[in-house]
Amino acid sequence: MGEHQASCYQILALDGGGARAVFTAAFLAALEETSGIRLADCFDLVAGTSAGGLIALALGAGYKPSEILAFFKDRAPEIFPLTSGLARALRIPRWIARSKYESETLKGCLQEYFGDRRLGQSALRLVIPAFDSARGGVYLFKTPHHRDLRTDFQVPMWEVAYATAAAPTYFPAYVSSSSVRLVDGGIWANNPAMVALAEGLGYLGWPQTSISLLSIAPPHSPIGNSARSVAGGLFAWRDVVKFLMVGQSCAASNECLHILGEGRFYRVDVAIPAEPPLDQISDDLEGIGTTEARNLINRIDQRFLRHKAGPYKPWYQVNGNSPAEAKKGSENEREG
């Protein structure tokens, strides 16, 4: 890879998808293994929602994509223990009134994986969407890559991961120590590509013509309604949530394509005949991810892997401050 050029910036955006994010981790792992290039060195900003947010945080924590893939494969059976059809059917009565799964297992796995790392210790600039279910508004966790971002860097990485992945009906909401109640960022930004692009254009002030963006989605099956069913009622629109998420994703991709153009926006979006549930690990997804990386390696190598991201330091380190000093300085500013 050549030296970083200040006039060129690259963004990686990772969709949510629950256990289907095995595809994303396998895809990134295969790209890294085949190219021999550390992917984290190629991107100036990474955004991820839900399971994609977990991958983004893990990259920021220094994990390799192969290690992230191993986490999904090893821990998903603990997080999503309902492997048989009978076990899943027996859980339905509970699911009607409560979340399908308890939070303790997921929290325990994330705490073990991320340890005591905080968001401000990420080696990458990160944007992680969540949703404030109490006030009905968007919520973005961000690394301290701008002077105005003065609070999130103190939040433990595992808490950010849980908040963005707390899918409604599957897991209880994340409740912070200050009683902020957050749920899965997929509520509004399952495809975080446009969120990431807005961050690059806005807070980071990167020129539009200098940005390239790689967006990756887990495999999904096509969705649509017949002309007869669109006039129907509740049963005809039983998949309305999926329609809403597909619509948001299409809008985000189209907006990025419109702003950046085909030469600087690329979307990995694989259609499969039948997509597995959000809470069920499938060995097929790892194979599909590896195969897709094999098919696209040359294209992605030429467009994204020959860039070396510029150095990133949290704003408080620019003057040699520690996180504690930064926190104290922010409090003094507010008091003043």
Side-chain angles (χ1 to χ4, degrees):
M1 292 183 295
E3 292 297 317
H4 172 75
Q5 298 178 6
S7 60
C8 181
Y9 304 95
Q10 292 195 161
I11 299 173
L12 176 64
L14 306 173
D15 284 24
R20 293 200 294 267
V22 165
F23 164 89
T24 305
F27 180 83
L28 295 175
L31 286 181
E32 190 164 277
E33 180 180 359
T34 303
S35 67
I37 296 171
R38 186 172 178 269
L39 292 185
D41 293 337
C42 301
F43 295 94
D44 302 275
L45 173 67
V46 181
T49 299
S50 194
L54 194 159
I55 295 175
L57 287 159
L59 290 172
Y63 287 107
K64 299 177 181 178
S66 58
E67 295 170 332
I68 302 170
L69 175 60
F71 171 82
F72 277 107
K73 293 172 64 177
D74 293 343
R75 307 310 293 268
E78 299 176 43
I79 298 169
F80 304 119
L82 304 180
T83 56
S84 71
L86 177 60
R88 297 170 72 83
L90 292 175
R91 184 61 67 96
I92 291 176
R94 168 205 161 94
W95 199 8
I96 294 173
R98 300 178 57 192
S99 60
K100 190 174 185 180
Y101 301 101
E102 301 290 351
S103 62
E104 283 71 19
T105 302
L106 176 57
K107 287 180 178 178
C109 289
L110 294 175
Q111 287 174 327
E112 181 181 335
Y113 193 61
F114 289 106
D116 59 1
R117 297 181 184 90
R118 296 185 179 272
L119 186 58
Q121 294 175 282
S122 171
L124 301 171
R125 299 177 186 88
L126 299 178
V127 178
I128 310 295
F131 186 78
D132 188 334
S133 62
R135 68 181 184 88
V138 303
Y139 197 102
L140 289 169
F141 287 100
K142 300 181 183 182
T143 49
H145 49 258
H146 188 278
R147 189 67 177 80
D148 290 343
L149 304 175
R150 300 183 293 178
T151 57
D152 293 349
F153 69 87
Q154 303 170 62
V155 182
M157 280 190 174
W158 77 263
E159 292 190 23
V160 179
Y162 183 87
T164 191
T169 78
Y170 285 90
F171 293 103
Y174 161 81
V175 182
S176 74
S177 58
S178 56
S179 299
V180 177
R181 189 168 69 244
L182 304 177
V183 296
D184 194 325
I187 291 289
W188 68 281
N190 199 55
N191 173 358
M194 191 60 204
V195 173
L197 180 56
E199 190 72 12
L201 294 170
Y203 266 107
L204 294 168
W206 296 340
Q208 174 185 335
T209 55
S210 72
I211 299 173
S212 295
L213 196 157
L214 174 62
S215 174
I216 303 175
H220 59 89
S221 59
I223 187 169
N225 265 344
S226 66
R228 179 181 301 175
S229 64
V230 294
L234 183 61
F235 182 78
W237 284 99
R238 61 191 179 279
D239 291 328
V240 65
V241 172
K242 185 174 181 181
F243 272 93
L244 294 172
M245 296 185 74
V246 168
Q248 179 274 326
S249 180
C250 289
S253 294
N254 289 342
E255 288 161 357
C256 288
L257 182 62
H258 178 72
I259 293 170
L260 297 178
E262 292 186 359
R264 290 182 288 113
F265 176 74
Y266 189 76
R267 173 83 166 162
V268 178
D269 197 356
V270 182
I272 56 177
E275 61 188 48
L278 293 172
D279 58 346
Q280 188 171 341
I281 283 288
S282 167
D283 292 336
D284 290 343
L285 289 173
E286 181 181 357
I288 295 171
T290 302
T291 300
E292 195 66 12
R294 177 180 181 272
N295 293 338
L296 298 178
I297 180 62
N298 291 330
R299 185 177 304 175
I300 291 178
D301 179 27
Q302 293 172 5
R303 295 180 64 170
F304 294 98
L305 303 187
R306 302 185 184 187
H307 168 81
K308 184 173 178 59
Y312 158 60
K313 280 188 176 182
W315 61 262
Y316 54 77
Q317 288 185 358
V318 173
N319 297 321
N321 293 331
S322 68
E325 291 169 332
K327 178 182 179 182
K328 183 176 180 181
S330 296
E331 291 172 348
N332 291 339
E333 286 183 13
R334 287 196 295 271
E335 291 173 359

